[in-house]
Amino acid sequence: MEISVEINGTSHTSDVEPRTLLVHFIRDAAGLTGTNIGCDTSSCGACTVHFNGEAVKSCTMLAVQADGQSVTTIEGLANGDQMHPMQQAFMNCHALQCGYCTPGMVMASVSLLDEIPDPTEDQVREGLEGNLCRCTGYHNIVKAVLSAAGGGQ
Amino acid sequence: MIPVAFDYIRASSADEALAALGEHGDEAKLMAGGHSLLPMMKLRLAYPSVIVDIGRLSDLSYVNDGGDHLAIGALTRHRDVEINEMVQEHAPLLAMATAHVGDPQVRHRGTIGGSLAHADAAGDHPSALLALGGSVVATSASGDERVIDGTDLFTGFLESSLEPTEMITEIRIPKHTGQGWNFQKFNRRAQDWAIVGVSAQRSNGSAKVALVNMHPTPIRATAVEEALAGGASAAEAADQAAVGMEPSGDLNASVEYRSHLARVLTRRALEAAGIS
């Protein structure tokens, strides 16, 4: 069936099978490969995007469920050459090693601060429970999120 | 991982969804948030030939004050249950169990009705429903409604007493304002299902206890409840937590270990609920 999904403000229309996963639509139909596929079982969070403003795992949604709805991916965060404050905080705090989990971590972190603008360290750790970093770089990721919440201090 | 091909019907009303169920019967599955069904379809443990998408039925997303109970729309997402002030005040056990489901991304999509219809013994919601003495409203393709008590809802491994042409439209939770309660969940990673979990809820001098992942179905720990009613202490009653249970052993826990966990966690839950 033909569906249209607004991704990062641009409408993407494509004819898809109902069983097409949202993450495949984002990567293959829209050509936005910043969103990674990790475990493909809704455990690791690498495929996290914003669906109508909230973090979701795009490997556990059908593209048809997103028909007519709004998706933001990691490519949609920056304003031109100016990084999103969360991206800048990840860079400042060295919150990545191999980088594979990073797009999902950043998207989950932005969603977390939308819901809890001034979280405690515990709230950040709990709020990111849906994202796994196999480099175990969690300490700096938590620092980055706290830094972004504090206005990049 | 890609599911087996299926026909997709997007319902714009509960009537439309029920009509599709009436037409396709056993071949069709309702998809709400899809966070139990879609993973099973990707693993090809489930392969319905028709998916009826009810995820956009926003008129079934609500928490209403029903007087002596809370009426929660079946399509209410976990996140919306978790942070709802009425749920936090009148059924804090449900708010806490909901906050333990999966992770934030899962809770943004999964729904309370979907979780209960999935009838997973390892799910957190069913134990809260049982300990709170809740029920669900099932609506059929013919338009009939019936109320199913939580204790009659779970009939077997991932099986419920819902007919193939029925859908859960509402969940009813008796208010337990200001009464002692507790939820215990033991798992190895933050986002995992419980290896064993316990819901405990006091209610005007008695207590209900329900266990997660200790039996093929979500289940009340009736031996614990009867011991408490007979005057046993929390520790004595908790010793009965594995009586009559048939837990499975797996990579995470043997049958013996699960039984041990059930006793320990039940004691903790009872004590935290204010039962000594």
Side-chain angles (χ1 to χ4, degrees), chain B residues 136-203:
Chain B
V136 302
V137 178
T139 306
S140 73
S142 57
D144 296 333
E145 278 191 0
R146 63 181 178 127
V147 177
I148 306 173
D149 190 86
T151 50
D152 299 322
L153 181 61
F154 309 112
T155 53
F157 180 69
L158 297 181
E159 284 183 7
S160 75
S161 52
L162 289 166
E163 297 293 333
T165 54
E166 283 180 320
M167 67 182 275
I168 296 178
T169 45
E170 187 172 277
I171 294 87
R172 292 181 181 164
I173 305 289
K175 287 183 182 174
H176 283 72
T177 321
Q179 312 237 26
W181 62 277
N182 192 249
F183 181 73
Q184 295 280 328
K185 179 172 180 174
F186 187 85
N187 53 13
R188 295 177 63 186
R189 295 181 307 176
Q191 66 192 166
D192 277 342
W193 281 274
I195 293 174
V196 174
V198 181
S199 283
Q201 178 66 57
R202 295 177 76 182
S203 176

Short mmCIF file of all heavy atoms in Angstrom, two decimals, chain B residues 136-203:
data_model
loop_
_atom_site.label_atom_id
_atom_site.label_comp_id
_atom_site.label_asym_id
_atom_site.label_seq_id
_atom_site.Cartn_x
_atom_site.Cartn_y
_atom_site.Cartn_z
N VAL B 136 -11.98 -6.59 33.09
CA VAL B 136 -11.93 -5.96 31.77
C VAL B 136 -13.32 -6.04 31.13
O VAL B 136 -14.10 -6.96 31.42
CB VAL B 136 -10.90 -6.63 30.82
CG1 VAL B 136 -9.51 -6.58 31.44
CG2 VAL B 136 -11.29 -8.05 30.47
N VAL B 137 -13.60 -5.06 30.30
CA VAL B 137 -14.84 -5.07 29.52
C VAL B 137 -14.50 -5.58 28.13
O VAL B 137 -13.61 -5.04 27.47
CB VAL B 137 -15.46 -3.66 29.42
CG1 VAL B 137 -16.73 -3.70 28.57
CG2 VAL B 137 -15.75 -3.11 30.80
N ALA B 138 -15.17 -6.66 27.71
CA ALA B 138 -14.95 -7.21 26.38
C ALA B 138 -16.17 -6.90 25.52
O ALA B 138 -17.31 -7.12 25.94
CB ALA B 138 -14.74 -8.72 26.45
N THR B 139 -15.90 -6.34 24.34
CA THR B 139 -16.98 -6.00 23.40
C THR B 139 -16.87 -6.92 22.20
O THR B 139 -15.77 -7.19 21.72
CB THR B 139 -16.86 -4.52 22.96
OG1 THR B 139 -16.81 -3.70 24.13
CG2 THR B 139 -18.04 -4.11 22.11
N SER B 140 -18.00 -7.44 21.74
CA SER B 140 -17.96 -8.42 20.65
C SER B 140 -18.45 -7.80 19.34
O SER B 140 -19.02 -6.69 19.33
CB SER B 140 -18.84 -9.63 20.99
OG SER B 140 -20.19 -9.26 20.88
N ALA B 141 -18.24 -8.54 18.27
CA ALA B 141 -18.63 -8.05 16.95
C ALA B 141 -20.13 -7.79 16.89
O ALA B 141 -20.58 -6.92 16.14
CB ALA B 141 -18.20 -9.06 15.88
N SER B 142 -20.91 -8.52 17.67
CA SER B 142 -22.36 -8.32 17.65
C SER B 142 -22.77 -7.13 18.52
O SER B 142 -23.95 -6.79 18.61
CB SER B 142 -23.06 -9.58 18.14
OG SER B 142 -22.61 -9.93 19.43
N GLY B 143 -21.79 -6.49 19.16
CA GLY B 143 -22.07 -5.30 19.96
C GLY B 143 -22.32 -5.60 21.43
O GLY B 143 -22.52 -4.69 22.23
N ASP B 144 -22.32 -6.89 21.78
CA ASP B 144 -22.53 -7.25 23.19
C ASP B 144 -21.30 -6.90 24.01
O ASP B 144 -20.17 -7.02 23.55
CB ASP B 144 -22.81 -8.76 23.33
CG ASP B 144 -24.11 -9.15 22.64
OD1 ASP B 144 -24.98 -8.27 22.54
OD2 ASP B 144 -24.22 -10.30 22.18
N GLU B 145 -21.56 -6.50 25.25
CA GLU B 145 -20.46 -6.25 26.19
C GLU B 145 -20.58 -7.21 27.35
O GLU B 145 -21.69 -7.52 27.79
CB GLU B 145 -20.57 -4.82 26.75
CG GLU B 145 -20.01 -3.75 25.85
CD GLU B 145 -19.90 -2.41 26.56
OE1 GLU B 145 -20.26 -2.34 27.75
OE2 GLU B 145 -19.47 -1.45 25.90
N ARG B 146 -19.42 -7.70 27.83
CA ARG B 146 -19.45 -8.47 29.08
C ARG B 146 -18.23 -8.07 29.90
O ARG B 146 -17.20 -7.66 29.36
CB ARG B 146 -19.48 -9.97 28.82
CG ARG B 146 -18.24 -10.51 28.11
CD ARG B 146 -18.34 -12.02 27.87
NE ARG B 146 -17.17 -12.51 27.15
CZ ARG B 146 -16.40 -13.53 27.55
NH1 ARG B 146 -16.69 -14.17 28.68
NH2 ARG B 146 -15.36 -13.91 26.84
N VAL B 147 -18.38 -8.17 31.21
CA VAL B 147 -17.29 -7.85 32.11
C VAL B 147 -16.64 -9.16 32.54
O VAL B 147 -17.32 -10.08 33.00
CB VAL B 147 -17.80 -7.08 33.34
CG1 VAL B 147 -16.65 -6.81 34.32
CG2 VAL B 147 -18.44 -5.76 32.91
N ILE B 148 -15.33 -9.27 32.31
CA ILE B 148 -14.59 -10.48 32.69
C ILE B 148 -13.73 -10.13 33.91
O ILE B 148 -12.85 -9.25 33.82
CB ILE B 148 -13.69 -10.97 31.55
CG1 ILE B 148 -14.51 -11.16 30.26
CG2 ILE B 148 -13.00 -12.28 31.93
CD1 ILE B 148 -13.65 -11.49 29.04
N ASP B 149 -13.97 -10.81 35.00
CA ASP B 149 -13.13 -10.61 36.18
C ASP B 149 -11.70 -11.06 35.86
O ASP B 149 -11.50 -12.04 35.14
CB ASP B 149 -13.69 -11.43 37.35
CG ASP B 149 -13.00 -11.05 38.66
OD1 ASP B 149 -13.46 -10.10 39.30
OD2 ASP B 149 -11.99 -11.70 39.01
N GLY B 150 -10.73 -10.35 36.42
CA GLY B 150 -9.34 -10.70 36.15
C GLY B 150 -9.03 -12.16 36.42
O GLY B 150 -8.28 -12.80 35.67
N THR B 151 -9.64 -12.72 37.46
CA THR B 151 -9.35 -14.11 37.81
C THR B 151 -9.88 -15.09 36.75
O THR B 151 -9.48 -16.25 36.73
CB THR B 151 -9.95 -14.47 39.19
OG1 THR B 151 -11.32 -14.07 39.20
CG2 THR B 151 -9.21 -13.76 40.30
N ASP B 152 -10.81 -14.62 35.89
CA ASP B 152 -11.34 -15.49 34.83
C ASP B 152 -10.73 -15.20 33.47
O ASP B 152 -11.08 -15.82 32.47
CB ASP B 152 -12.87 -15.32 34.72
CG ASP B 152 -13.57 -15.70 36.01
OD1 ASP B 152 -13.13 -16.68 36.65
OD2 ASP B 152 -14.55 -15.02 36.37
N LEU B 153 -9.81 -14.23 33.42
CA LEU B 153 -9.31 -13.77 32.12
C LEU B 153 -8.20 -14.66 31.57
O LEU B 153 -8.10 -14.90 30.37
CB LEU B 153 -8.81 -12.32 32.24
CG LEU B 153 -8.29 -11.66 30.97
CD1 LEU B 153 -9.38 -11.59 29.90
CD2 LEU B 153 -7.77 -10.25 31.27
N PHE B 154 -7.34 -15.14 32.48
CA PHE B 154 -6.13 -15.84 32.01
C PHE B 154 -6.35 -17.35 32.12
O PHE B 154 -6.46 -17.90 33.21
CB PHE B 154 -4.93 -15.39 32.83
CG PHE B 154 -4.79 -13.89 32.89
CD1 PHE B 154 -4.99 -13.20 34.07
CD2 PHE B 154 -4.50 -13.17 31.73
CE1 PHE B 154 -4.89 -11.82 34.12
CE2 PHE B 154 -4.39 -11.79 31.77
CZ PHE B 154 -4.59 -11.11 32.96
N THR B 155 -6.39 -18.02 30.96
CA THR B 155 -6.81 -19.42 30.95
C THR B 155 -5.69 -20.39 30.62
O THR B 155 -5.81 -21.59 30.87
CB THR B 155 -7.94 -19.63 29.94
OG1 THR B 155 -7.52 -19.12 28.66
CG2 THR B 155 -9.20 -18.89 30.38
N GLY B 156 -4.60 -19.94 30.03
CA GLY B 156 -3.51 -20.84 29.66
C GLY B 156 -2.32 -20.03 29.20
O GLY B 156 -2.35 -18.79 29.24
N PHE B 157 -1.27 -20.71 28.76
CA PHE B 157 -0.07 -20.04 28.31
C PHE B 157 -0.40 -19.12 27.13
O PHE B 157 -0.77 -19.59 26.06
CB PHE B 157 0.99 -21.08 27.91
CG PHE B 157 2.27 -20.46 27.44
CD1 PHE B 157 3.11 -19.79 28.31
CD2 PHE B 157 2.64 -20.54 26.10
CE1 PHE B 157 4.29 -19.21 27.87
CE2 PHE B 157 3.83 -19.98 25.65
CZ PHE B 157 4.65 -19.32 26.54
N LEU B 158 -0.29 -17.81 27.34
CA LEU B 158 -0.63 -16.80 26.34
C LEU B 158 -2.06 -16.95 25.84
O LEU B 158 -2.37 -16.61 24.69
CB LEU B 158 0.35 -16.82 25.16
CG LEU B 158 1.82 -16.49 25.47
CD1 LEU B 158 2.66 -16.52 24.20
CD2 LEU B 158 1.95 -15.11 26.13
N GLU B 159 -2.95 -17.49 26.68
CA GLU B 159 -4.34 -17.67 26.28
C GLU B 159 -5.25 -16.97 27.29
O GLU B 159 -5.03 -17.03 28.49
CB GLU B 159 -4.70 -19.15 26.22
CG GLU B 159 -4.14 -19.82 24.98
CD GLU B 159 -4.55 -21.27 24.88
OE1 GLU B 159 -5.39 -21.71 25.69
OE2 GLU B 159 -4.03 -21.95 24.00
N SER B 160 -6.31 -16.35 26.73
CA SER B 160 -7.27 -15.67 27.58
C SER B 160 -8.66 -16.19 27.26
O SER B 160 -8.87 -16.92 26.28
CB SER B 160 -7.22 -14.16 27.35
OG SER B 160 -7.85 -13.86 26.11
N SER B 161 -9.63 -15.77 28.07
CA SER B 161 -11.00 -16.20 27.83
C SER B 161 -11.71 -15.29 26.83
O SER B 161 -12.91 -15.42 26.61
CB SER B 161 -11.77 -16.22 29.16
OG SER B 161 -11.63 -14.99 29.84
N LEU B 162 -10.97 -14.38 26.19
CA LEU B 162 -11.56 -13.56 25.12
C LEU B 162 -11.89 -14.45 23.92
O LEU B 162 -11.09 -15.31 23.53
CB LEU B 162 -10.57 -12.48 24.66
CG LEU B 162 -10.30 -11.33 25.62
CD1 LEU B 162 -9.07 -10.56 25.16
CD2 LEU B 162 -11.51 -10.40 25.70
N GLU B 163 -13.07 -14.22 23.33
CA GLU B 163 -13.42 -14.92 22.09
C GLU B 163 -12.67 -14.27 20.92
O GLU B 163 -12.29 -13.09 21.01
CB GLU B 163 -14.93 -14.81 21.85
CG GLU B 163 -15.81 -15.46 22.92
CD GLU B 163 -15.66 -16.97 22.95
OE1 GLU B 163 -15.33 -17.55 21.89
OE2 GLU B 163 -15.83 -17.57 24.04
N PRO B 164 -12.47 -15.03 19.83
CA PRO B 164 -11.74 -14.44 18.68
C PRO B 164 -12.41 -13.20 18.11
O PRO B 164 -11.76 -12.39 17.46
CB PRO B 164 -11.75 -15.58 17.63
CG PRO B 164 -11.98 -16.82 18.41
CD PRO B 164 -12.80 -16.45 19.61
N THR B 165 -13.72 -13.03 18.37
CA THR B 165 -14.42 -11.87 17.83
C THR B 165 -14.67 -10.80 18.89
O THR B 165 -15.49 -9.91 18.69
CB THR B 165 -15.77 -12.30 17.21
OG1 THR B 165 -16.50 -13.03 18.21
CG2 THR B 165 -15.54 -13.18 16.01
N GLU B 166 -13.95 -10.89 20.02
CA GLU B 166 -14.09 -9.88 21.07
C GLU B 166 -12.81 -9.05 21.18
O GLU B 166 -11.72 -9.55 20.90
CB GLU B 166 -14.32 -10.54 22.44
CG GLU B 166 -15.73 -11.05 22.67
CD GLU B 166 -15.86 -11.68 24.05
OE1 GLU B 166 -14.92 -12.38 24.50
OE2 GLU B 166 -16.90 -11.48 24.68
N MET B 167 -12.97 -7.81 21.64
CA MET B 167 -11.79 -7.02 22.00
C MET B 167 -12.03 -6.38 23.37
O MET B 167 -13.17 -6.10 23.75
CB MET B 167 -11.48 -5.95 20.95
CG MET B 167 -12.50 -4.84 20.81
SD MET B 167 -12.06 -3.64 19.50
CE MET B 167 -10.96 -2.52 20.38
N ILE B 168 -10.92 -6.21 24.11
CA ILE B 168 -11.01 -5.48 25.37
C ILE B 168 -11.19 -4.01 25.03
O ILE B 168 -10.43 -3.46 24.22
CB ILE B 168 -9.73 -5.67 26.22
CG1 ILE B 168 -9.58 -7.14 26.63
CG2 ILE B 168 -9.78 -4.78 27.46
CD1 ILE B 168 -8.31 -7.42 27.42
N THR B 169 -12.21 -3.38 25.60
CA THR B 169 -12.40 -1.95 25.35
C THR B 169 -12.11 -1.11 26.58
O THR B 169 -11.79 0.07 26.46
CB THR B 169 -13.84 -1.68 24.86
OG1 THR B 169 -14.77 -2.40 25.68
CG2 THR B 169 -14.01 -2.14 23.42
N GLU B 170 -12.25 -1.72 27.78
CA GLU B 170 -12.01 -0.93 29.00
C GLU B 170 -11.47 -1.83 30.09
O GLU B 170 -11.77 -3.02 30.13
CB GLU B 170 -13.32 -0.27 29.46
CG GLU B 170 -13.17 0.70 30.62
CD GLU B 170 -14.46 1.47 30.90
OE1 GLU B 170 -14.71 2.48 30.21
OE2 GLU B 170 -15.22 1.04 31.81
N ILE B 171 -10.69 -1.24 30.98
CA ILE B 171 -10.17 -1.95 32.16
C ILE B 171 -10.73 -1.22 33.38
O ILE B 171 -10.72 0.02 33.42
CB ILE B 171 -8.62 -1.94 32.18
CG1 ILE B 171 -8.06 -2.76 31.02
CG2 ILE B 171 -8.08 -2.49 33.49
CD1 ILE B 171 -7.90 -2.02 29.74
N ARG B 172 -11.25 -1.98 34.34
CA ARG B 172 -11.83 -1.37 35.54
C ARG B 172 -11.03 -1.80 36.76
O ARG B 172 -10.85 -2.99 37.01
CB ARG B 172 -13.30 -1.77 35.68
CG ARG B 172 -14.13 -1.16 34.57
CD ARG B 172 -15.59 -1.50 34.67
NE ARG B 172 -16.30 -0.88 33.54
CZ ARG B 172 -17.52 -1.21 33.14
NH1 ARG B 172 -18.20 -2.14 33.80
NH2 ARG B 172 -18.07 -0.61 32.10
N ILE B 173 -10.53 -0.80 37.47
CA ILE B 173 -9.68 -1.05 38.63
C ILE B 173 -10.34 -0.47 39.87
O ILE B 173 -10.48 0.76 39.97
CB ILE B 173 -8.29 -0.38 38.43
CG1 ILE B 173 -7.62 -0.84 37.13
CG2 ILE B 173 -7.39 -0.62 39.64
CD1 ILE B 173 -7.14 -2.27 37.14
N PRO B 174 -10.77 -1.30 40.82
CA PRO B 174 -11.34 -0.76 42.06
C PRO B 174 -10.33 0.17 42.75
O PRO B 174 -9.13 -0.12 42.79
CB PRO B 174 -11.58 -2.01 42.92
CG PRO B 174 -11.68 -3.13 41.94
CD PRO B 174 -10.75 -2.77 40.82
N LYS B 175 -10.85 1.28 43.27
CA LYS B 175 -9.95 2.22 43.95
C LYS B 175 -9.41 1.59 45.24
O LYS B 175 -10.14 0.94 45.97
CB LYS B 175 -10.71 3.51 44.29
CG LYS B 175 -10.99 4.38 43.08
CD LYS B 175 -11.68 5.67 43.51
CE LYS B 175 -12.02 6.53 42.30
NZ LYS B 175 -12.80 7.73 42.68
N HIS B 176 -8.14 1.80 45.48
CA HIS B 176 -7.50 1.33 46.71
C HIS B 176 -6.75 2.51 47.34
O HIS B 176 -5.58 2.41 47.69
CB HIS B 176 -6.53 0.20 46.40
CG HIS B 176 -7.19 -1.12 46.15
ND1 HIS B 176 -7.90 -1.39 45.00
CD2 HIS B 176 -7.29 -2.24 46.93
CE1 HIS B 176 -8.39 -2.62 45.07
NE2 HIS B 176 -8.03 -3.16 46.22
N THR B 177 -7.46 3.62 47.47
CA THR B 177 -6.83 4.87 47.92
C THR B 177 -6.26 4.72 49.33
O THR B 177 -6.96 4.30 50.24
CB THR B 177 -7.88 6.00 47.92
OG1 THR B 177 -8.72 5.84 46.76
CG2 THR B 177 -7.22 7.36 47.92
N GLY B 178 -4.97 5.02 49.45
CA GLY B 178 -4.36 5.05 50.78
C GLY B 178 -4.12 3.69 51.43
O GLY B 178 -3.79 3.62 52.60
N GLN B 179 -4.28 2.61 50.68
CA GLN B 179 -4.08 1.26 51.25
C GLN B 179 -2.66 0.78 50.90
O GLN B 179 -2.12 1.11 49.86
CB GLN B 179 -5.11 0.30 50.68
CG GLN B 179 -6.52 0.88 50.74
CD GLN B 179 -7.48 -0.01 51.52
OE1 GLN B 179 -7.09 -0.78 52.39
NE2 GLN B 179 -8.74 0.09 51.18
N GLY B 180 -2.09 -0.05 51.76
CA GLY B 180 -0.73 -0.53 51.55
C GLY B 180 -0.61 -1.40 50.29
O GLY B 180 -1.52 -2.15 49.96
N TRP B 181 0.50 -1.26 49.63
CA TRP B 181 0.72 -2.02 48.39
C TRP B 181 2.21 -2.13 48.15
O TRP B 181 3.01 -1.40 48.74
CB TRP B 181 0.07 -1.31 47.20
CG TRP B 181 0.69 0.06 46.97
CD1 TRP B 181 0.36 1.21 47.62
CD2 TRP B 181 1.78 0.39 46.09
NE1 TRP B 181 1.17 2.24 47.20
CE2 TRP B 181 2.05 1.76 46.26
CE3 TRP B 181 2.54 -0.36 45.17
CZ2 TRP B 181 3.05 2.41 45.54
CZ3 TRP B 181 3.54 0.30 44.46
CH2 TRP B 181 3.78 1.68 44.65
N ASN B 182 2.61 -3.02 47.27
CA ASN B 182 4.02 -3.06 46.84
C ASN B 182 4.14 -3.88 45.57
O ASN B 182 3.34 -4.77 45.30
CB ASN B 182 4.90 -3.65 47.93
CG ASN B 182 6.39 -3.44 47.63
OD1 ASN B 182 7.11 -4.39 47.34
ND2 ASN B 182 6.85 -2.20 47.68
N PHE B 183 5.16 -3.55 44.79
CA PHE B 183 5.47 -4.32 43.58
C PHE B 183 6.95 -4.67 43.60
O PHE B 183 7.79 -3.80 43.82
CB PHE B 183 5.15 -3.48 42.33
CG PHE B 183 5.41 -4.20 41.03
CD1 PHE B 183 4.58 -5.23 40.62
CD2 PHE B 183 6.51 -3.87 40.25
CE1 PHE B 183 4.82 -5.91 39.43
CE2 PHE B 183 6.75 -4.54 39.05
CZ PHE B 183 5.91 -5.56 38.65
N GLN B 184 7.25 -5.93 43.46
CA GLN B 184 8.64 -6.39 43.43
C GLN B 184 8.91 -7.03 42.07
O GLN B 184 8.08 -7.79 41.56
CB GLN B 184 8.87 -7.46 44.52
CG GLN B 184 8.73 -6.94 45.93
CD GLN B 184 9.97 -6.19 46.40
OE1 GLN B 184 11.10 -6.50 46.00
NE2 GLN B 184 9.77 -5.21 47.26
N LYS B 185 10.06 -6.71 41.50
CA LYS B 185 10.42 -7.32 40.22
C LYS B 185 11.90 -7.64 40.24
O LYS B 185 12.72 -6.76 40.50
CB LYS B 185 10.10 -6.35 39.07
CG LYS B 185 10.47 -6.88 37.68
CD LYS B 185 9.94 -5.95 36.60
CE LYS B 185 10.29 -6.45 35.20
NZ LYS B 185 9.67 -5.62 34.15
N PHE B 186 12.23 -8.89 39.98
CA PHE B 186 13.63 -9.29 39.95
C PHE B 186 14.00 -9.64 38.52
O PHE B 186 13.38 -10.52 37.91
CB PHE B 186 13.85 -10.51 40.86
CG PHE B 186 15.30 -10.88 41.02
CD1 PHE B 186 16.10 -10.26 41.97
CD2 PHE B 186 15.87 -11.84 40.20
CE1 PHE B 186 17.43 -10.60 42.10
CE2 PHE B 186 17.21 -12.18 40.32
CZ PHE B 186 17.99 -11.55 41.28
N ASN B 187 14.98 -8.92 37.99
CA ASN B 187 15.48 -9.27 36.65
C ASN B 187 16.96 -8.93 36.57
O ASN B 187 17.52 -8.34 37.50
CB ASN B 187 14.68 -8.56 35.56
CG ASN B 187 14.61 -7.05 35.75
OD1 ASN B 187 15.33 -6.49 36.56
ND2 ASN B 187 13.75 -6.39 35.01
N ARG B 188 17.58 -9.37 35.49
CA ARG B 188 19.03 -9.20 35.38
C ARG B 188 19.40 -7.92 34.68
O ARG B 188 20.41 -7.31 34.99
CB ARG B 188 19.64 -10.42 34.66
CG ARG B 188 19.47 -11.70 35.47
CD ARG B 188 20.00 -12.89 34.73
NE ARG B 188 21.43 -12.78 34.50
CZ ARG B 188 22.11 -13.66 33.77
NH1 ARG B 188 21.51 -14.67 33.20
NH2 ARG B 188 23.41 -13.51 33.61
N ARG B 189 18.61 -7.53 33.67
CA ARG B 189 18.85 -6.25 33.01
C ARG B 189 17.62 -5.38 33.23
O ARG B 189 16.50 -5.87 33.31
CB ARG B 189 19.07 -6.44 31.51
CG ARG B 189 20.30 -7.23 31.15
CD ARG B 189 20.43 -7.33 29.64
NE ARG B 189 19.20 -7.83 29.06
CZ ARG B 189 18.99 -7.96 27.75
NH1 ARG B 189 19.90 -7.60 26.90
NH2 ARG B 189 17.85 -8.44 27.30
N ALA B 190 17.83 -4.06 33.29
CA ALA B 190 16.76 -3.14 33.68
C ALA B 190 15.49 -3.36 32.86
O ALA B 190 14.39 -3.32 33.38
CB ALA B 190 17.25 -1.70 33.50
N GLN B 191 15.63 -3.59 31.55
CA GLN B 191 14.45 -3.58 30.69
C GLN B 191 13.82 -4.96 30.55
O GLN B 191 12.80 -5.10 29.87
CB GLN B 191 14.85 -3.09 29.30
CG GLN B 191 15.77 -4.06 28.61
CD GLN B 191 16.45 -3.55 27.37
OE1 GLN B 191 17.37 -4.16 26.91
NE2 GLN B 191 16.00 -2.44 26.82
N ASP B 192 14.41 -5.99 31.17
CA ASP B 192 13.94 -7.35 30.93
C ASP B 192 12.59 -7.64 31.59
O ASP B 192 12.17 -6.95 32.50
CB ASP B 192 14.96 -8.35 31.49
CG ASP B 192 16.09 -8.59 30.51
OD1 ASP B 192 15.92 -8.27 29.33
OD2 ASP B 192 17.14 -9.10 30.96
N TRP B 193 11.99 -8.73 31.12
CA TRP B 193 10.85 -9.28 31.83
C TRP B 193 11.32 -9.74 33.21
O TRP B 193 12.50 -10.01 33.44
CB TRP B 193 10.30 -10.51 31.08
CG TRP B 193 9.46 -10.18 29.92
CD1 TRP B 193 8.11 -9.92 29.94
CD2 TRP B 193 9.85 -10.10 28.55
NE1 TRP B 193 7.67 -9.67 28.66
CE2 TRP B 193 8.70 -9.77 27.79
CE3 TRP B 193 11.07 -10.27 27.88
CZ2 TRP B 193 8.74 -9.61 26.41
CZ3 TRP B 193 11.10 -10.11 26.51
CH2 TRP B 193 9.96 -9.78 25.79
N ALA B 194 10.36 -9.83 34.13
CA ALA B 194 10.68 -10.32 35.45
C ALA B 194 11.09 -11.79 35.38
O ALA B 194 10.47 -12.58 34.67
CB ALA B 194 9.46 -10.18 36.37
N ILE B 195 12.15 -12.14 36.13
CA ILE B 195 12.41 -13.57 36.35
C ILE B 195 11.33 -14.07 37.30
O ILE B 195 10.74 -15.13 37.08
CB ILE B 195 13.83 -13.77 36.90
CG1 ILE B 195 14.85 -13.38 35.81
CG2 ILE B 195 14.06 -15.22 37.36
CD1 ILE B 195 16.29 -13.38 36.27
N VAL B 196 11.08 -13.29 38.33
CA VAL B 196 9.88 -13.45 39.17
C VAL B 196 9.46 -12.05 39.62
O VAL B 196 10.32 -11.19 39.86
CB VAL B 196 10.15 -14.32 40.42
CG1 VAL B 196 8.93 -14.33 41.34
CG2 VAL B 196 10.50 -15.75 40.02
N GLY B 197 8.17 -11.83 39.71
CA GLY B 197 7.65 -10.56 40.22
C GLY B 197 6.48 -10.81 41.15
O GLY B 197 5.87 -11.88 41.12
N VAL B 198 6.20 -9.82 41.99
CA VAL B 198 5.10 -9.95 42.96
C VAL B 198 4.33 -8.63 43.04
O VAL B 198 4.93 -7.56 43.19
CB VAL B 198 5.63 -10.29 44.37
CG1 VAL B 198 4.46 -10.43 45.35
CG2 VAL B 198 6.47 -11.55 44.36
N SER B 199 3.01 -8.71 42.95
CA SER B 199 2.14 -7.59 43.26
C SER B 199 1.40 -7.90 44.55
O SER B 199 0.82 -8.98 44.68
CB SER B 199 1.08 -7.38 42.15
OG SER B 199 1.65 -6.74 41.03
N ALA B 200 1.45 -6.98 45.51
CA ALA B 200 0.72 -7.16 46.77
C ALA B 200 -0.14 -5.93 47.02
O ALA B 200 0.33 -4.79 46.84
CB ALA B 200 1.69 -7.36 47.93
N GLN B 201 -1.39 -6.15 47.38
CA GLN B 201 -2.32 -5.03 47.60
C GLN B 201 -3.19 -5.32 48.80
O GLN B 201 -3.87 -6.33 48.86
CB GLN B 201 -3.21 -4.84 46.37
CG GLN B 201 -4.24 -3.74 46.51
CD GLN B 201 -3.62 -2.35 46.62
OE1 GLN B 201 -2.88 -1.93 45.73
NE2 GLN B 201 -3.89 -1.63 47.71
N ARG B 202 -3.16 -4.41 49.79
CA ARG B 202 -4.06 -4.53 50.94
C ARG B 202 -5.40 -3.89 50.60
O ARG B 202 -5.47 -2.94 49.82
CB ARG B 202 -3.45 -3.82 52.16
CG ARG B 202 -2.18 -4.47 52.61
CD ARG B 202 -1.57 -3.73 53.77
NE ARG B 202 -2.31 -4.01 55.01
CZ ARG B 202 -1.99 -3.45 56.18
NH1 ARG B 202 -1.00 -2.59 56.24
NH2 ARG B 202 -2.67 -3.75 57.26
N SER B 203 -6.44 -4.43 51.20
CA SER B 203 -7.78 -3.94 50.91
C SER B 203 -8.66 -4.17 52.13
O SER B 203 -9.13 -5.29 52.36
CB SER B 203 -8.34 -4.65 49.68
OG SER B 203 -9.66 -4.23 49.44
#
